[in-house]
Amino acid sequence: MKKTLTRNACAKINLGLDVVGVREDGYHLLRMVMQQIDLFDTLTFTVTDAQGAGKIRLIDESGLSPAGEDNLICRAIRMMEEKYDLHADVDVRLIKRIPVAAGLAGGSTDAAAAFCAIRDLLVPQVSDQELMELGVRLGADIPYCIAGGTKLAEGIGEILTELPPMPECAIVLIKPEASASTAHVYRAVDELGEYHHPDIDGQIAALHAGDLQGLALRCENVLELVTGADLPVIGSIEDFLKRQGALTARMSGSGPSVFGIFETRTDAEKTREAFLRTESAKGCRIFVCTPVSSAEK
């Protein structure tokens, strides 16, 4: 018996990210407007023996993803095996395009793809909701990455509410060479005390109205208070994107990736070319993307 399935695992950006509290176990309580984009990793899963020894072999053609059983892809497959008493031998071939440690949920979206692929190949009766309840034990972004599209994420990120699709636009995404520690960023936010909170409700209203400019004006990420101070390159990239006509430019997640929202693909492509001609482009990875809706997932 041999079954093969290929899935594209999309990156996400945070159109809005607010920290609203801390749980007793140390996890931060969040309110976020999450948006998938069409920058994706491609994963091909092959089950060679449904009654095998449970061997997992991961081949990362880019060499960018951590190898071995600690990889989130392998851990997701192991969780599926334990939960549903599976014994399959699984080969995974990964083509990695999403930058790692970038605030784009690259690891989480690959794990989400693994949960969904093993379900589809071996236990198709399992619902997305069951997968999300299992996935949150591995990572707070994984339920969102399973659901996809445009969502309000609350709790630690696992409480999801469907939102209208992001209005048509183009996104310039820039990942600078610098890196940020998520754990450090959240600890530092805790030490800030009082700070301005993003208008998440205003963003939701703008989405319901199909108002791209209103949405863009309210894009804000409280984690940028920390990462932006630690890494001035983030502000420099944002300023460049705004000078090129971006409706807004903000950091995604805990950073350091920056996205700029443009009304047209042409404007976004021109901005990408202009940035590539600057000294600041050295060491950066630059993409032009579009939003992905739940219907396209």
Side-chain angles (χ1 to χ4, degrees):
M1 188 278 295
K2 184 176 181 178
K3 294 182 181 179
T4 298
L5 184 151
T6 297
R7 290 188 70 99
N8 290 330
C10 292
K12 64 82 183 169
I13 57 174
N14 298 93
L15 297 174
L17 192 160
D18 193 13
V19 178
V20 297
V22 184
R23 294 198 319 194
E24 289 184 3
D25 60 7
Y27 277 96
H28 287 78
L29 298 171
L30 308 170
R31 287 194 87 216
M32 304 180 288
V33 177
M34 310 274 273
Q35 177 61 55
Q36 278 189 328
I37 54 177
D38 63 353
L39 169 63
F40 56 84
D41 297 338
T42 299
L43 300 92
T44 299
F45 299 84
T46 301
V47 175
T48 53
D49 187 352
Q51 299 301 319
K55 295 178 182 177
I56 301 171
R57 184 175 66 162
L58 172 63
I59 300 172
D60 176 6
E61 297 187 354
S62 66
L64 297 174
S65 185
E69 288 280 330
D70 282 342
N71 186 286
L72 287 177
I73 297 167
C74 297
R75 292 171 67 187
I77 295 171
R78 287 286 180 228
M79 288 180 75
M80 289 293 287
E81 289 177 339
E82 292 169 9
K83 175 71 173 177
Y84 299 106
D85 193 27
L86 306 176
H87 304 277
D89 292 336
V90 183
D91 288 347
V92 186
R93 187 171 296 274
L94 169 65
I95 300 174
K96 189 84 183 151
R97 302 181 185 90
I98 303 170
V100 298
L104 303 172
S108 293
T109 195
D110 289 348
F115 279 115
C116 293
I118 298 304
R119 183 269 309 274
D120 292 348
L121 288 167
L122 297 173
V123 280
Q125 70 274 16
V126 174
S127 68
D128 279 0
Q129 184 60 40
E130 289 176 89
L131 290 184
M132 289 188 278
E133 290 170 3
L134 185 61
V136 73
R137 292 161 44 191
L138 185 58
D141 279 343
I142 291 174
Y144 166 73
C145 292
I146 291 171
T150 312
K151 299 285 190 296
L152 171 67
E154 298 176 285
I156 63 171
E158 87 287 11
I159 302 170
L160 302 173
T161 303
E162 184 76 30
L163 295 175
M166 187 176 180
E168 186 174 333
C169 64
I171 295 163
V172 176
L173 181 69
I174 301 177
K175 161 60 172 69
E177 200 168 19
S179 61
S181 163
T182 300
H184 159 73
V185 171
Y186 276 101
R187 282 196 302 268
V189 166
D190 291 341
E191 296 169 2
L192 289 177
E194 292 297 318
Y195 49 82
H196 174 74
H197 290 272
D199 183 8
I200 300 295
D201 290 334
Q203 282 201 312
I204 293 170
L207 283 166
H208 280 283
D211 179 5
L212 180 63
Q213 291 201 9
L215 174 68
L217 285 171
R218 293 170 176 84
C219 284
E220 193 172 350
N221 179 349
V222 298
L223 303 185
E224 193 172 332
L225 295 169
V226 175
T227 313
D230 290 344
L231 302 174
V233 65
I234 290 171
S236 297
I237 292 172
E238 290 175 346
D239 289 344
F240 177 87
L241 293 172
K242 290 173 185 176
R243 289 197 301 271
Q244 295 296 312
L247 298 177
T248 193
R250 288 292 184 181
M251 186 185 82
S252 181
S254 58
S257 296
V258 173
F259 64 90
I261 299 175
F262 291 82
E263 291 187 296
T264 70
R265 180 96 186 186
T266 299
D267 290 341
E269 294 284 3
K270 286 179 179 177
T271 298
R272 177 182 181 275
E273 294 303 316
F275 186 76
L276 286 170
R277 293 192 293 269
T278 69
E279 189 67 26
S280 301
K282 185 177 180 181
C284 291
R285 296 185 66 188
I286 309 149
F287 309 88
V288 174
C289 310
T290 53
V292 173
S293 71
S294 297
E296 297 172 283
K297 176 178 165 288

